[in-house]
Amino acid sequence: MTDAVVGRLRAALGDRVDTAAESLDAARADKSGHAAPGRPLAVVHAASVEDVQAVMRIATATRTPVVVQGARTGLAGGSNAGAGEIALSLRGMTRILEVRPDDLLAVVEPGILNADLNAALAEHGLWWAPDPASRAISTVGGNIATGAGGLLCAKYGVVRDAVLGLDVVLADGRLLRLGHRSVKGVTGLDLTSLFIGSEGTLGVVVGATLKLRRLVPGTVCTIAATFPGVRDAAAGSAAVTAAGIQPAIMELMDATSLAAAHALLALPAPTPGAAQLTVQTDGPAAVAEAEAVARVLRDAGGTVAVSQDPDEGERLLAVRRAMHPAMESLGTTLIEDVSVPRSALPDMFDEIARIERDYGIVIPTVAHAGDGNLHPNFIFEGAEVPPRIWEAADELFRAALRLGGTLTGEHGIGVLKSRWLADELGDDQWELQRQVTAVFDPLGILNPGKVFAR
Amino acid sequence: MTDAVVGRLRAALGDRVDTAAESLDAARADKSGHAAPGRPLAVVHAASVEDVQAVMRIATATRTPVVVQGARTGLAGGSNAGAGEIALSLRGMTRILEVRPDDLLAVVEPGILNADLNAALAEHGLWWAPDPASRAISTVGGNIATGAGGLLCAKYGVVRDAVLGLDVVLADGRLLRLGHRSVKGVTGLDLTSLFIGSEGTLGVVVGATLKLRRLVPGTVCTIAATFPGVRDAAAGSAAVTAAGIQPAIMELMDATSLAAAHALLALPAPTPGAAQLTVQTDGPAAVAEAEAVARVLRDAGGTVAVSQDPDEGERLLAVRRAMHPAMESLGTTLIEDVSVPRSALPDMFDEIARIERDYGIVIPTVAHAGDGNLHPNFIFEGAEVPPRIWEAADELFRAALRLGGTLTGEHGIGVLKSRWLADELGDDQWELQRQVTAVFDPLGILNPGKVFAR
């Protein structure tokens, strides 16, 4: 049966069907540290919509599971492909099909890297706002599949705010065009939004009509503020929001993560115990807002430096962007992704400190403090998350839910968090969501074992 | 059977069950000019979530259709209730349950008027951005049900961008909490977005967690520009967008609608044939942007006046807000709502002129020119839309679709546009959407005969 599936794929797609051992092994894992059990049947490197349709028709005919992949930079195992599955890679579909500065939209294939798209858009004075820390290595399609967030979300929104329409191939190979090209459009149900963040369970996104912005004019100001401890830094960020200032970026690093990032970048070690807020303001009021932010942070007990030099600003942000590789240098990492209302950020740091004490572990944490999204990192030895770490993570999830928050702000449920999904949704909503996926995928061949597995 | 349903409603809900003839007649119609055939069984004036659950349990037990209503200001007949149906009015559920300036959110009941909510939020220095022209008379729940738009959408987004979570009662009476309170959240499928714009076909929205903004500081500048004809005005608005300026508001009125609004407001008659653009800029760069807009519009052939006086700005916008009552003064109105990419606005006005010539009718049109959303008004005598007007509207819809646009930018499909829904979605997507509604409403008791009827 397995050989028959690969044979049919080869007959239809020729050398775009890849069964090299190293390709199959690579397709098992994303950047979560977790790998699927076993090797997939094949990796198909799709070059066109027709390729994707051909794969899905064969998958439907043979009841073979399909896992859609991009750059495999996910952090929840959502695109890991294992035994008996087809890994359908869209990484090669990188074309920009249309850029319309007058309509502020672009139509792209899903495999293009976020940073490559933005480099091309910059020539038109445009940008696509979603800015995950991984933007240099993650694809637009992957950003859409996870409903990615990033650093700019409080001011400029998440992926869901930046997509007008999607072209999708259904499980049976049919092509649908969802959404619209106009700013407004309410014809029928909003399936575009339903697909965003659906993690490969509803269909294959083969094209996206993106809502663009014009590049923001004016100076970008960067404020770096050091605090004696992480709770002080969190209170400082909450004070900025409460003061009515809207920074473009407001990132928080606790002492452990700051020290690890400095070490990775060969920078001088920071003051022991110190936590840092890195804030950027932009737009016509950037300078005035930066001064206001600096005042609020000084009043909150921070040691504050303000810079209008873009190079200096990028250097300061580079420390934050080095977080994930810095964590990888400490051991195997389970990167968590809880999100809470902004006012609950200091309380959430208290909960993390409690869990550290109770479990005798260190949980280096960074946060998109401007929007309340935290990335606590659990570090351990070996390939699999030990049960004790899962217990600590379980406490973390429950604390976030208690504070009015959510399990995942931007990484998705994938395979690593599916067992907690019903805790947040409730059994009724969980079952309803599963039934909605069955409308799109009646045979259950799209990314089985992820999201709704329990 | 009918008496039995009303009896069960009365037993559960007492005098909140209203069968007065004038109430039943009123429940048949919204502001579209269209009325449902026959009178509903009863109007239930729900005062609480429990009331809504009680109604839905009785409706499910007795297989009785339910039409949810707010202020009945809809323009597509989507909330009209007719023979054999229960009209479930949420207009009495107007409480603001929570306002959190630090988290920029509010939790409200669905029956509160948009303008009443914004008056209350202003005391906290906050606002909810959706701004339909009907905001003084339309409810937040109705704004959500239709996925309303309004005047500010190009700069400040549509309802879908301004809702974090929804509490909904399902067809069988179960209560679900969808979405989240944090800025980010990607746990499971985005059912919140699916409900927005679903026009009463998926469940009953009984509470909403709204994403707020801080009031925009600084001067609001208003630019009024008169053009010799509507196509010149449309080209002027496209030139503003193409110049990279983002006004808060950019409204276009053609000669007929401008004259009708002036007459209604007892203002001096405008120059015959003249069309008008009314533009507002806001925020820290408002004055500079207003000057830039004025330059672009003068270059485009407009006669331009700029004002920084807020009262004068409101007077100018009042002309635009008087559009719907002004049309009602001309006869029965079929208000259309097509939306096209911004660059296609001049072409869409050419199509309207062609349809006017071909059908020998006048189609007064206003447009949210900043986002490409047009409201062509078909005026006729009597209560029902004559076949010839439908033929002209059919041409209008097909022209919008040809130009890359959509059937409805913000009013919804309702009963008036359901026969064109599959033309835009395609049969495959239409069927898929219908199946999704069946997951939520397996008995088909939620607003039957609307949206997906054909």
Coordinates of all heavy atoms in Angstrom, one line a residue, chain A residues 344-397:
Chain A
A344 N -2.4 41.8 33.3 CA -2.1 40.6 34.1 C -0.6 40.1 34.0 O -0.2 39.1 34.5 CB -3.0 39.4 33.7
L345 N 0.2 40.9 33.2 CA 1.6 40.5 33.0 C 2.4 40.4 34.2 O 3.1 39.3 34.4 CB 2.2 41.5 32.0 CG 3.4 41.0 31.2 CD1 3.1 39.8 30.3 CD2 4.0 42.1 30.3
P346 N 2.4 41.3 35.2 CA 3.1 41.2 36.4 C 2.7 39.9 37.2 O 3.5 39.2 37.7 CB 2.8 42.5 37.2 CG 2.5 43.5 36.1 CD 1.8 42.7 35.1
D347 N 1.4 39.7 37.3 CA 0.9 38.5 38.0 C 1.4 37.2 37.3 O 1.7 36.2 38.0 CB -0.7 38.5 38.0 CG -1.2 39.5 39.0 OD1 -0.4 40.1 39.8 OD2 -2.4 39.8 38.9
M348 N 1.4 37.2 36.0 CA 1.9 36.0 35.3 C 3.4 35.8 35.6 O 3.8 34.6 35.7 CB 1.7 36.2 33.8 CG 1.8 34.9 33.0 SD 0.6 33.6 33.4 CE 1.6 32.1 33.3
F349 N 4.2 36.8 35.7 CA 5.6 36.6 36.1 C 5.6 36.1 37.5 O 6.5 35.3 37.8 CB 6.4 37.9 35.9 CG 6.9 38.1 34.5 CD1 6.3 39.0 33.6 CD2 8.0 37.3 34.1 CE1 6.8 39.1 32.3 CE2 8.4 37.4 32.8 CZ 7.9 38.3 31.9
D350 N 4.7 36.5 38.4 CA 4.7 35.9 39.7 C 4.4 34.4 39.7 O 5.0 33.6 40.4 CB 3.6 36.6 40.6 CG 4.0 38.0 41.0 OD1 5.2 38.4 40.9 OD2 3.1 38.8 41.5
E351 N 3.5 34.0 38.8 CA 3.2 32.6 38.7 C 4.4 31.8 38.1 O 4.7 30.7 38.6 CB 2.0 32.4 37.7 CG 0.7 33.0 38.2 CD 0.0 32.1 39.2 OE1 0.5 31.0 39.5 OE2 -1.1 32.5 39.7
I352 N 5.1 32.4 37.2 CA 6.3 31.7 36.7 C 7.3 31.6 37.8 O 7.9 30.5 37.9 CB 6.9 32.5 35.5 CG1 5.9 32.5 34.3 CG2 8.2 32.0 35.0 CD1 6.2 33.4 33.1
A353 N 7.5 32.6 38.6 CA 8.5 32.5 39.7 C 8.0 31.4 40.7 O 8.9 30.7 41.2 CB 8.6 33.9 40.4
R354 N 6.7 31.3 40.9 CA 6.2 30.3 41.8 C 6.5 28.9 41.2 O 7.0 28.0 42.0 CB 4.7 30.5 42.0 CG 4.1 29.4 42.9 CD 2.5 29.5 42.9 NE 1.9 29.4 41.6 CZ 1.7 28.2 41.0 NH1 2.1 27.1 41.5 NH2 1.0 28.2 39.8
I355 N 6.3 28.7 39.9 CA 6.5 27.4 39.3 C 8.0 27.1 39.3 O 8.4 25.9 39.6 CB 5.9 27.4 37.9 CG1 4.4 27.6 37.9 CG2 6.3 26.1 37.1 CD1 3.8 27.9 36.6
E356 N 8.8 28.1 39.1 CA 10.3 27.9 39.2 C 10.6 27.3 40.6 O 11.4 26.4 40.8 CB 11.1 29.2 39.0 CG 11.1 29.6 37.5 CD 11.9 30.9 37.2 OE1 11.8 31.8 38.1 OE2 12.6 30.9 36.2
R357 N 10.1 28.0 41.7 CA 10.4 27.5 43.0 C 9.8 26.1 43.3 O 10.6 25.2 43.8 CB 9.7 28.5 44.1 CG 10.5 29.8 44.3 CD 9.9 30.5 45.5 NE 8.5 30.7 45.5 CZ 7.8 31.7 44.9 NH1 8.5 32.7 44.3 NH2 6.5 31.8 45.0
D358 N 8.6 25.9 42.9 CA 7.9 24.6 43.2 C 8.6 23.5 42.5 O 8.7 22.3 43.0 CB 6.5 24.6 42.8 CG 5.6 25.5 43.7 OD1 6.2 26.1 44.7 OD2 4.4 25.7 43.4
Y359 N 9.2 23.7 41.3 CA 9.8 22.6 40.5 C 11.3 22.6 40.6 O 11.9 21.8 40.0 CB 9.2 22.6 39.1 CG 7.8 22.2 39.0 CD1 6.7 23.0 39.3 CD2 7.5 20.8 38.6 CE1 5.4 22.6 39.3 CE2 6.2 20.4 38.6 CZ 5.2 21.3 38.9 OH 3.9 20.8 38.9
G360 N 11.8 23.6 41.2 CA 13.3 23.7 41.3 C 13.9 23.8 40.0 O 15.0 23.2 39.7
I361 N 13.3 24.6 39.1 CA 13.9 24.8 37.7 C 14.0 26.3 37.4 O 13.4 27.1 38.1 CB 13.0 24.1 36.6 CG1 11.5 24.6 36.7 CG2 13.0 22.6 36.8 CD1 10.6 24.0 35.6
V362 N 14.7 26.6 36.4 CA 14.8 28.0 35.9 C 14.0 28.0 34.6 O 14.1 27.1 33.7 CB 16.2 28.4 35.7 CG1 16.3 29.8 35.1 CG2 17.0 28.3 37.0
I363 N 13.2 29.0 34.4 CA 12.3 29.2 33.2 C 12.6 30.5 32.6 O 11.9 31.5 32.8 CB 10.8 29.1 33.6 CG1 10.5 27.8 34.4 CG2 10.0 29.1 32.3 CD1 9.1 27.8 34.9
P364 N 13.7 30.6 31.7 CA 14.0 31.8 31.1 C 12.8 32.3 30.2 O 12.2 31.5 29.5 CB 15.2 31.5 30.2 CG 15.7 30.2 30.6 CD 14.6 29.5 31.3
T365 N 12.4 33.6 30.4 CA 11.2 34.0 29.8 C 11.4 35.4 29.0 O 12.0 36.3 29.6 CB 10.1 34.2 30.8 OG1 9.8 33.0 31.5 CG2 8.8 34.8 30.2
V366 N 10.9 35.4 27.8 CA 10.8 36.7 27.1 C 9.3 37.0 26.9 O 8.5 36.0 26.9 CB 11.5 36.7 25.8 CG1 13.0 36.6 26.0 CG2 11.0 35.7 24.8
A367 N 9.0 38.2 26.8 CA 7.6 38.5 26.5 C 7.4 39.7 25.5 O 8.2 40.6 25.5 CB 6.9 38.9 27.8
H368 N 6.4 39.5 24.7 CA 5.9 40.7 23.9 C 5.1 41.5 24.9 O 3.9 41.3 24.9 CB 5.1 40.2 22.7 CG 5.9 39.2 21.8 ND1 7.1 39.5 21.2 CD2 5.6 37.9 21.4 CE1 7.5 38.5 20.5 NE2 6.6 37.5 20.6
A369 N 5.7 42.3 25.7 CA 5.1 42.9 26.8 C 3.9 43.9 26.4 O 3.0 44.1 27.1 CB 6.1 43.7 27.7
G370 N 4.1 44.4 25.2 CA 3.1 45.3 24.7 C 1.7 44.7 24.5 O 0.7 45.3 24.5
D371 N 1.7 43.4 24.2 CA 0.5 42.7 24.0 C 0.2 41.5 25.0 O -0.8 40.8 24.8 CB 0.3 42.2 22.6 CG 1.4 41.2 22.2 OD1 1.7 40.3 22.9 OD2 2.0 41.4 21.1
G372 N 1.1 41.3 26.0 CA 0.8 40.3 27.0 C 1.1 38.9 26.6 O 0.6 37.9 27.3
N373 N 2.0 38.7 25.6 CA 2.3 37.3 25.1 C 3.7 37.0 25.7 O 4.6 37.6 25.4 CB 2.3 37.4 23.6 CG 2.6 36.0 22.9 OD1 3.0 36.0 21.8 ND2 2.4 34.9 23.6
L374 N 3.7 35.9 26.5 CA 5.0 35.4 27.1 C 5.5 34.2 26.5 O 4.7 33.3 26.1 CB 4.7 35.1 28.6 CG 4.2 36.3 29.5 CD1 2.7 36.2 29.6 CD2 4.9 36.3 30.8
H375 N 6.8 34.1 26.4 CA 7.5 32.8 25.9 C 8.4 32.3 27.0 O 9.6 32.6 27.0 CB 8.3 33.1 24.7 CG 7.4 33.5 23.5 ND1 6.3 32.7 23.1 CD2 7.5 34.5 22.6 CE1 5.8 33.3 22.0 NE2 6.4 34.4 21.7
P376 N 7.8 31.6 28.0 CA 8.6 30.9 29.0 C 9.3 29.7 28.4 O 8.6 28.9 27.6 CB 7.6 30.5 30.1 CG 6.3 31.2 29.7 CD 6.4 31.4 28.3
N377 N 10.6 29.5 28.6 CA 11.4 28.4 28.0 C 11.7 27.4 29.0 O 12.4 27.7 30.0 CB 12.6 29.0 27.4 CG 12.4 29.8 26.1 OD1 12.5 29.3 25.0 ND2 12.0 31.0 26.3
F378 N 11.3 26.2 28.8 CA 11.7 25.1 29.7 C 12.9 24.4 29.0 O 12.8 23.9 27.9 CB 10.5 24.1 29.9 CG 9.3 24.6 30.6 CD1 8.3 25.2 29.9 CD2 9.3 24.6 32.0 CE1 7.2 25.8 30.5 CE2 8.2 25.1 32.6 CZ 7.1 25.7 31.9
I379 N 14.0 24.3 29.8 CA 15.2 23.7 29.2 C 15.4 22.3 29.9 O 15.3 22.2 31.1 CB 16.4 24.6 29.6 CG1 16.1 26.1 29.3 CG2 17.7 24.1 28.8 CD1 16.1 26.5 27.9
F380 N 15.8 21.4 29.0 CA 16.0 20.0 29.6 C 17.0 19.3 28.7 O 17.4 19.8 27.6 CB 14.7 19.2 29.7 CG 13.9 19.2 28.4 CD1 14.1 18.2 27.5 CD2 13.0 20.2 28.1 CE1 13.4 18.1 26.3 CE2 12.3 20.2 26.9 CZ 12.5 19.1 26.0
E381 N 17.5 18.1 29.1 CA 18.4 17.3 28.4 C 17.6 16.3 27.6 O 16.5 15.8 28.0 CB 19.3 16.5 29.3 CG 20.2 17.4 30.2 CD 21.2 18.3 29.4 OE1 21.8 17.7 28.6 OE2 21.2 19.5 29.7
G382 N 18.2 15.9 26.4 CA 17.5 14.8 25.6 C 16.5 15.3 24.7 O 16.2 16.5 24.6
A383 N 15.9 14.4 23.9 CA 15.0 14.8 22.8 C 13.6 14.9 23.2 O 12.8 15.7 22.7 CB 15.1 13.7 21.7
E384 N 13.1 14.1 24.2 CA 11.7 14.2 24.6 C 11.5 15.0 25.9 O 12.3 15.0 26.8 CB 11.2 12.7 24.9 CG 11.0 11.9 23.6 CD 10.0 12.6 22.6 OE1 8.9 13.1 23.0 OE2 10.4 12.7 21.4
V385 N 10.4 15.7 25.9 CA 10.0 16.5 27.1 C 9.8 15.6 28.3 O 8.9 14.7 28.2 CB 8.8 17.4 26.8 CG1 8.5 18.3 28.1 CG2 9.0 18.2 25.6
P386 N 10.6 15.7 29.4 CA 10.4 14.8 30.5 C 9.0 15.1 31.2 O 8.5 16.2 31.2 CB 11.5 15.2 31.5 CG 12.4 16.0 30.7 CD 11.7 16.7 29.6
P387 N 8.4 14.1 31.8 CA 7.1 14.3 32.4 C 7.0 15.4 33.4 O 6.1 16.2 33.5 CB 6.8 12.9 33.2 CG 7.7 12.0 32.4 CD 8.9 12.7 31.9
R388 N 8.1 15.6 34.2 CA 8.2 16.7 35.2 C 8.1 18.1 34.6 O 7.4 19.0 35.1 CB 9.4 16.5 36.0 CG 9.5 17.6 37.1 CD 10.0 16.9 38.5 NE 10.1 18.0 39.5 CZ 9.1 18.3 40.3 NH1 7.9 17.6 40.2 NH2 9.2 19.2 41.2
I389 N 8.7 18.2 33.4 CA 8.6 19.5 32.7 C 7.2 19.7 32.2 O 6.6 20.8 32.2 CB 9.6 19.5 31.5 CG1 11.1 19.5 32.0 CG2 9.4 20.7 30.6 CD1 11.5 20.8 32.7
W390 N 6.5 18.6 31.7 CA 5.1 18.8 31.3 C 4.3 19.2 32.5 O 3.3 19.9 32.3 CB 4.6 17.5 30.7 CG 4.9 17.3 29.2 CD1 5.5 16.2 28.6 CD2 4.7 18.3 28.2 NE1 5.6 16.4 27.2 CE2 5.1 17.7 26.9 CE3 4.2 19.6 28.1 CZ2 5.1 18.3 25.7 CZ3 4.1 20.2 26.9 CH2 4.5 19.6 25.7
E391 N 4.6 18.6 33.7 CA 3.8 19.0 34.8 C 3.9 20.5 35.1 O 3.0 21.2 35.4 CB 4.2 18.2 36.1 CG 3.8 16.8 36.1 CD 4.5 16.0 37.2 OE1 4.7 16.6 38.3 OE2 4.7 14.8 37.0
A392 N 5.2 21.0 35.0 CA 5.4 22.4 35.2 C 4.7 23.3 34.1 O 4.1 24.3 34.4 CB 6.9 22.7 35.2
A393 N 4.7 22.8 32.9 CA 4.1 23.5 31.8 C 2.5 23.5 32.0 O 1.9 24.5 31.8 CB 4.4 22.8 30.5
D394 N 2.0 22.3 32.5 CA 0.6 22.2 32.8 C 0.2 23.3 33.9 O -0.8 24.0 33.7 CB 0.3 20.8 33.4 CG -1.1 20.7 33.8 OD1 -2.0 20.5 32.9 OD2 -1.4 20.8 35.0
E395 N 1.0 23.5 34.9 CA 0.8 24.6 35.9 C 0.8 26.0 35.2 O 0.0 26.9 35.5 CB 1.8 24.6 37.0 CG 1.8 23.3 37.8 CD 1.5 23.6 39.3 OE1 1.1 24.8 39.6 OE2 1.8 22.7 40.1
L396 N 1.7 26.1 34.3 CA 1.8 27.4 33.5 C 0.5 27.7 32.8 O 0.0 28.8 32.8 CB 3.0 27.3 32.6 CG 3.3 28.6 31.8 CD1 4.1 29.6 32.6 CD2 4.0 28.3 30.5
F397 N 0.1 26.7 32.0 CA -1.2 26.8 31.2 C -2.3 27.2 32.1 O -3.1 28.1 31.8 CB -1.5 25.6 30.4 CG -0.4 25.1 29.5 CD1 -0.2 23.8 29.2 CD2 0.4 26.1 28.9 CE1 0.7 23.4 28.3 CE2 1.4 25.7 28.0 CZ 1.6 24.3 27.7

